[in-house]
Amino acid sequence: SLMVDVTGQTRKEKVILPSYLQGKKPNTIPNKKIEDPVAGKVSISSLATRQDLTGFHLIPPRVTFGVLKEGCTYATTVIMKNVGVNFSRFRVKQPPPYTGLRVMYTPGPVAAGLQVELEIEILAMVFGGKDTGGLEEVSHDIEILTETETLLLPVKANILC
């Protein structure tokens, strides 16, 4: 129960559920769906009441690199899991070069329940000659275009000048 903690005592503060349990999908923009006669459709009565039959979840939903040394390259992996009931395709809109970000992945369809890895790479570099006090913040939303929506993956880093 959400009313009591693990010891059986009444909770003092409210439990904040993750967005995937609340039924919300943060950082998404729905696409205008065009009916595709070739795409496979599921017509099972038990799934007929469920609204969201397609989609991807990003694990983790945001990337924070922390403080980076200028001139070095850093990388991390984000898992993109197909939580729908059909195979689905996606593509990543590469960030502009001035951000220093690059996304490496294997294109192709992703079967239901499977996942792909996106490798997020950042070259820590500072543009402009202004004095920022030793730290410059890099922040960008990577756009991942799927068949039904556009996912936004926020990436943040601080570059030590």
Side-chain angles (χ1 to χ4, degrees), residues 108-125:
V110 181
L114 295 184
Q115 62 193 28
V116 293
E117 291 183 352
L118 306 175
E119 186 172 343
I120 314 297
E121 188 177 273
I122 184 169
L123 171 61
M125 57 186 176

Side-chain angles (χ1 to χ4, degrees), residues 53-118:
L53 297 177
T54 61
F56 287 97
H57 279 180
L58 294 170
I59 306 166
R62 67 190 51 82
V63 175
T64 305
F65 280 101
V67 178
L68 310 178
K69 181 181 176 186
E70 185 178 9
C72 295
T73 302
Y74 300 87
T76 189
T77 302
V78 173
I79 294 172
M80 191 166 159
K81 185 171 185 174
N82 184 353
V83 294
V85 295
N86 290 330
F87 75 90
S88 193
R89 298 178 186 274
F90 72 96
R91 71 181 182 86
V92 177
K93 186 176 176 183
Q94 291 292 336
Y98 68 85
T99 61
L101 289 167
R102 186 169 66 166
V103 182
M104 292 171 286
Y105 66 100
T106 305
V110 181
L114 295 184
Q115 62 193 28
V116 293
E117 291 183 352
L118 306 175

Side-chain angles (χ1 to χ4, degrees), residues 132-147:
T132 58
L135 280 180
E136 182 171 314
E137 183 177 317
V138 174
S139 180
H140 185 75
D141 288 341
I142 296 174
E143 294 182 31
I144 303 168
L145 307 163
T146 69
E147 294 173 354

